[in-house]
Amino acid sequence: MKINKKLLPFLIPVITGLIIGSVVLIIHPSTGKKLGDIIYSSGVSVESYSYAVGRAAPSVMNIYVAHLNDDYTKPDTDNIITSASGVVYYKNGIIVTNYHVVTAGNEPDNGIWAQTRDGKIFKAFVVGTDRRTDLAVLKVETSDLPPINKVKKDPKVGDIVLAIGNPNNLGQTVTHGIVSALSRSGSGLLTKDQMNIRQGVQELIQTDAPINQGNSGGALINSQGLLIGINTASFNSESTYGIGFAVPTSMVTKVVDEILAHGKVERGYLGISDAEVSSLAQTTGVTVGFIDPQGPAFGILKIGDIIKKVDDVEIADVRQLIDLISQSKPGRTLTFEILRNNDPRTESITLTEDNTSIE
């Protein structure tokens, strides 16, 4: 069969591409799966998110805190204390859930268990926790659990999101909504049951996807099935609906990696809170409203001081100050430029460790 010479300029690139593609697939078979995922997801109907759920759901676990049975080997299914959710974050059985989920697991005769959506149950051990972000890292002895795929770009307000978890111990459930807001501040737990959503280290994702009791620790994914956050709290009352929060994946990864490396997250502690109200003339800086008598700032800073700079970094607001302090290691000495009764002063303060344990 003769080939028309006019077609050669078109056929040569096609044949070359097929040869290169075949070689790549032989050497790296996983490339074919990734390419298939891209092609398939690009053609998914906007009327269904079954592809996203199918991609992420196998990585979402049911988490249980339960009394142990008589021989201390399995959970007593008639004595479940807490039912919640978790996400397989890394291979070799590394699971992320919420701190407030696992606290009861430290009690005598209690244990923590992780269950796959097809019913397999594993004993889970706490690797480490971080109250400030309400995260906990668990480990189960298996390498068969699939880690969830994580988003690489920050979400945007208006993005479609799906929450996957175990609400009210009904079993794996999916709810739907959008990203309502970003960078909502939160300083972690006030008590074992109450979240502080004001100023803090969390930069929470706000969503209207229903997050019910038991969704805690579950996955918030986008329409491609990629993890954008770990569900952590919601505001539900007679007058409030559709306000839920998730810890963004970027922060989750930082916390998990530090816990795996050190067993905990180390943050500096200054021991002050802001006055919340500034004068109209004050455009930058943080006014000191409270000083912890046991904190390193006690005896150095005074109520009413305005913190203008820390280590030559100009402080615009309390959020910036919190970020700077929390990202500094305990034992580091910082230089504070302050105004006290309109007089400039410079003070040095050595940070201690942020102790976030709940009594």
Side-chain angles (χ1 to χ4, degrees):
M1 184 179 68
K2 295 183 178 181
I3 299 175
N4 191 328
K5 293 182 179 180
K6 292 182 179 180
L7 296 177
L8 284 177
F10 301 99
L11 291 176
I12 290 174
V14 172
I15 294 171
T16 303
L18 289 173
I19 293 172
I20 294 173
S22 299
V23 172
V24 170
L25 290 177
I26 291 171
I27 298 175
H28 296 288
S30 62
T31 303
K33 182 180 182 303
K34 292 179 181 178
L35 181 60
D37 283 343
I38 293 171
I39 294 173
Y40 179 70
S41 63
S42 65
V44 171
S45 169
V46 296
E47 296 177 359
S48 174
Y49 302 105
S50 59
Y51 167 77
V53 174
R55 189 180 187 188
S59 302
V60 181
M61 310 282 285
N62 294 347
I63 304 296
Y64 297 100
V65 177
H67 290 297
L68 301 175
N69 63 0
D70 292 338
D71 61 3
Y72 293 91
T73 59
K74 294 181 180 180
D76 183 349
T77 55
D78 293 327
N79 286 290
I80 294 176
I81 301 167
T82 301
S83 63
S85 310
V87 175
V88 182
Y89 211 77
Y90 292 136
K91 62 182 181 180
N92 299 325
I94 298 299
I95 297 172
V96 176
T97 186
N98 285 148
Y99 169 83
H100 73 263
V101 169
V102 304
T103 52
N106 295 325
E107 301 295 330
D109 301 330
N110 291 346
I112 303 172
W113 310 86
Q115 182 185 41
T116 63
R117 67 173 181 167
D118 59 2
K120 294 180 182 178
I121 297 178
F122 300 92
K123 180 74 174 70
F125 302 90
V126 177
V127 179
T129 62
D130 182 44
R131 177 188 164 199
R132 283 292 184 212
T133 52
D134 193 24
L135 294 173
V137 178
L138 306 178
K139 175 76 167 66
V140 297
E141 296 302 325
T142 182
S143 58
D144 295 332
L145 302 178
I148 199 162
N149 296 288
K150 305 167 191 67
V151 74
K152 293 181 180 179
K153 295 182 179 179
D154 293 333
K156 297 179 180 179
V157 174
D159 284 355
I160 292 169
V161 290
L162 306 166
I164 308 177
N166 178 31
N168 299 302
N169 202 23
L170 292 173
Q172 193 173 93
T173 301
V174 182
T175 56
H176 167 266
I178 64 169
V179 173
S180 304
L182 296 170
S183 298
R184 294 301 197 203
S185 297
S187 57
L189 297 178
L190 290 175
T191 69
K192 291 182 180 179
D193 302 309
Q194 185 181 2
M195 200 77 177
N196 178 12
I197 308 295
R198 197 183 80 79
Q199 296 289 353
V201 301
Q202 285 176 301
E203 298 186 4
L204 298 167
I205 298 168
Q206 182 180 325
T207 177
D208 66 345
I211 298 176
N212 299 295
Q213 184 176 359
N215 276 106
S216 295
L220 189 69
I221 64 171
N222 64 14
S223 58
Q224 299 299 311
L226 301 176
L227 182 76
I228 69 167
I230 297 294
N231 298 322
T232 188
S234 63
F235 284 162
N236 287 320
S237 67
E238 293 181 359
S239 59
T240 304
Y241 176 77
I243 301 180
F245 298 96
V247 183
T249 298
S250 57
M251 179 166 286
V252 176
T253 298
K254 291 178 183 178
V255 170
V256 171
D257 289 350
E258 188 152 352
I259 287 176
L260 292 177
H262 308 295
K264 62 179 180 178
V265 179
E266 293 185 343
R267 294 189 182 91
Y269 180 67
L270 179 61
I272 70 165
S273 63
D274 66 307
E276 299 187 34
V277 178
S278 302
S279 67
L280 294 176
Q282 182 183 334
T283 58
T284 62
V286 173
T287 301
V288 178
F290 169 79
I291 302 175
D292 179 1
Q294 305 298 318
F298 185 75
I300 301 175
L301 298 181
K302 296 182 180 296
I303 293 176
D305 286 352
I306 301 174
I307 300 173
K308 301 294 289 184
K309 290 184 178 181
V310 178
D311 275 5
D312 292 324
V313 176
E314 187 170 344
I315 302 300
D317 51 35
V318 68
R319 180 54 192 268
Q320 184 184 3
L321 179 62
I322 290 172
D323 288 345
L324 192 152
I325 299 300
S326 65
Q327 292 169 13
S328 300
K329 294 295 184 181
R332 180 180 174 184
T333 299
L334 301 177
T335 301
F336 290 75
E337 295 181 28
I338 65 173
L339 287 178
R340 181 175 296 166
N341 299 323
N342 291 323
D343 292 328
R345 300 171 63 98
T346 299
E347 302 285 358
S348 295
I349 302 175
T350 301
L351 304 179
T352 57
E353 184 171 358
D354 186 16
N355 185 357
T356 60
S357 62
I358 296 177
E359 299 297 335

